[in-house]
Amino acid sequence: MSRPEAPTALRDFLEIPYDRLEELNLEVKNARTARVPQDQVREQRVKYLTDEKRIKAVTVCFTDLEGRLHMLDYDKKFLLRSADNLTFDGSSVRGFSQQHESDLRLSIDWSAFYWLPSDVFGPGKVLVFAEVRGQDGLPYQADMRARLKDLTAGLYEKEGLVAQFAHEIEGFLFRGRDAERNYPESGAFEFISTGGYYHSLPGDALRRFIDSAAEVQRAMGFGNEKDHPEVAPSQFEMNFVHTEALVAADQVQLYKLLCRQVAQNYDMTASFLPKPVTGINGNGMHTNISLARKGTNLFHDKNGDSGLSAAGWSFTERILNSAPDICLILNGSVNAYRRLDPHFEAPNQIKASATDRGSMVRIPLGNERSARIEVRSVAPDANPYMTVYTLLRTGLEGPLPDQAEIANKRARTRFLPDNINDAIRLFKSSKFVADLLGEQVQTRFAEVKQASAERCPRALGSLIKAAEVQFHHEVTNQYLWNKF
């Protein structure tokens, strides 16, 4: 005789209203930017988890070398007992450890703690980011999140510098669940809307998705600014305020996660392929950057060229000078090079401009608070930690050409690589990249990108090839990847 199901009323897991979620998550975000000591934060979080009986599990997240977000759900009681000894098989994560050195550790970053909307992520869970450590307990070289955290902490402690980032991440909404996984069979993506820029009726499917995702984003403490349909059919963008570099990179991962989950709840797919459909605009992740010291924006100068200070222009020139070398970091997939097409506002020109959106770097109109540079040539599937780390170190430390060479480069138009094979070649041969990432990470990253490139046609052509979707690093079909 089968046992009757327990009534739903017997369950008592944590569910928090959206307005209270926003308050809680903003408190955590403010504590991060105020640099509350880690020991104090850990003590607070452990006490909260111990006292809050309605939490059943903690989702612990880390990001691999290519930028995939990995999530492990730990029983709360187990986590509290074993937080100092969390291990996982690193050899199963591409770009991480080899089989003979498979065990890696997770060190929880208690400051990066999020309460989740229960109607989207399920009740009784909270989420926290973690850093990857080697068997010796030291930071793992291929964990770009930990390296970014160390970089930004050092800049603040030694120079009082705070790096501020804001990402504008575009995506597509397609009909049906798992549209990317099914692409090798279907050969097409089906738009959910054929409207355009800023245009959709309040009740249509694209608008309902945007509204729902923006509510989740707001509840998770992003600090929403605006959201709207983008230029291409079924394309969307939801903007949020600038914040410190590590928080901003975490928010990129959460943004894509929540968009995918909300879309799935509507039986749709949120796709961040850079160019899933030819003939229309692709997806970008425009990356806005500024530096501050003691609350003063170091990129602002009302008398400077385009309102940008000498420090801002130096930062920009260093990025432009190393653009070919770091292009693979900013555009790490075969599909990303379809987006760098000049016919669709592609930011493939290695130059800076206040008005030309085909430039790799744009100088937006700004004031003492908002002056910044906007790196437009970043694809939404890039590893956000590696991207932010690379742009920040390149802008501060990258080689700066002499003035005669700068004048010459401004006089002639240079372009970013138009295919991943050229980008890999430039990346592998770059001494600057070797110094930036270390030769081991440079080699591993090039190897995983070469593996993708070799499984796709060398010439892009005019049609999307199934292989560039099937073997895209964000398409999480374990069966296909085992065949990879």
Side-chain angles (χ1 to χ4, degrees), residues 11 32 76-77 90 111 132 143 156 208 230 257 262 296 318 323 329 441 451 471 482:
R11 300 188 178 97
R32 290 182 76 179
K76 182 190 74 172
K77 298 184 186 68
S111 64
V132 180
D143 177 19
Y156 182 78
R208 284 188 287 113
E230 259 292 344
L257 175 65
V262 169
T296 299
R318 292 174 193 273
I329 297 173
V441 172
F471 297 119
N482 285 339

Side-chain angles (χ1 to χ4, degrees), residues 12-15 54-58 116 118 122-126:
D12 186 20
F13 294 135
L14 184 66
E15 297 181 276
R54 294 171 297 170
I55 292 178
K56 59 183 176 182
V58 178
L116 304 172
S118 59
K125 290 184 180 181
V126 290

Side-chain angles (χ1 to χ4, degrees), residues 82-350:
S82 310
D84 294 328
N85 190 36
L86 302 177
T87 62
F88 70 99
D89 180 6
S91 65
S92 296
V93 179
R94 283 199 316 281
F96 271 17
S97 61
Q98 305 300 314
Q99 187 171 348
H100 66 275
E101 53 173 16
S102 58
D103 285 341
L104 295 175
R105 298 179 182 275
L106 290 174
S107 176
I108 294 176
D109 182 355
W110 290 102
S111 64
F113 187 95
Y114 291 84
W115 282 268
L116 304 172
S118 59
D119 58 331
V120 175
F121 295 96
K125 290 184 180 181
V126 290
L127 180 147
V128 66
F129 284 88
E131 296 153 13
V132 180
R133 297 188 180 275
Q135 296 179 9
D136 55 6
L138 297 176
Y140 189 60
Q141 193 175 24
D143 177 19
M144 295 307 303
R145 185 184 188 277
R147 293 181 66 173
L148 174 60
K149 183 178 180 181
D150 184 62
L151 171 64
T152 53
L155 288 173
Y156 182 78
E157 291 167 6
K158 297 173 186 175
E159 304 178 46
L161 281 178
V162 176
Q164 302 278 4
F165 280 73
H167 296 91
E168 303 168 41
I169 310 166
E170 296 165 328
F172 279 98
L173 188 66
F174 297 130
R175 192 177 304 280
R177 291 190 178 197
D178 299 326
E180 295 160 326
R181 293 188 192 180
N182 297 329
Y183 187 85
E185 289 76 37
S186 66
F189 291 116
E190 186 178 353
F191 295 135
I192 205 73
S193 166
T194 54
Y197 203 34
Y198 300 157
H199 178 73
S200 66
L201 294 173
D204 74 16
L206 179 59
R207 188 73 252 180
R208 284 188 287 113
F209 160 78
I210 291 174
D211 288 347
S212 297
E215 287 176 7
V216 176
Q217 181 178 280
R218 187 178 298 110
M220 293 181 70
F222 279 48
N224 292 21
E225 288 189 340
K226 65 178 184 293
D227 50 74
H228 55 86
E230 259 292 344
V231 173
S234 286
Q235 194 177 32
F236 62 88
E237 180 182 307
M238 292 176 282
N239 300 144
F240 37 93
V241 298
H242 70 272
T243 187
E244 293 192 17
L246 184 61
V247 181
D250 285 344
Q251 288 182 166
V252 171
Q253 298 294 66
L254 293 175
Y255 173 91
K256 293 197 285 185
L257 175 65
L258 72 87
C259 284
R260 289 182 174 121
Q261 186 60 46
V262 169
Q264 188 174 78
N265 291 349
Y266 281 114
D267 287 324
M268 303 174 193
T269 297
S271 173
F272 297 98
L273 284 161
K275 188 86 165 183
V277 181
T278 56
I280 59 175
N281 285 26
N283 290 324
M285 184 166 69
H286 303 160
T287 302
N288 296 272
I289 311 170
S290 63
L291 295 176
R293 181 181 284 119
K294 295 182 179 180
T296 299
N297 186 346
L298 302 182
F299 280 11
H300 174 67
D301 181 354
K302 65 179 181 180
N303 298 317
D305 184 1
S306 300
L308 197 64
S309 68
W313 275 113
S314 172
F315 196 97
T316 301
E317 295 289 1
R318 292 174 193 273
I319 289 175
L320 294 176
N321 190 49
S322 295
D325 297 27
I326 65 174
C327 183
L328 185 69
I329 297 173
L330 311 186
N331 298 274
S333 66
V334 173
N335 187 253
Y337 293 86
R338 289 189 181 277
R339 173 179 168 260
L340 299 180
D341 181 339
H343 296 96
F344 296 94
E345 302 180 10
N348 65 334
Q349 300 174 34
I350 304 176

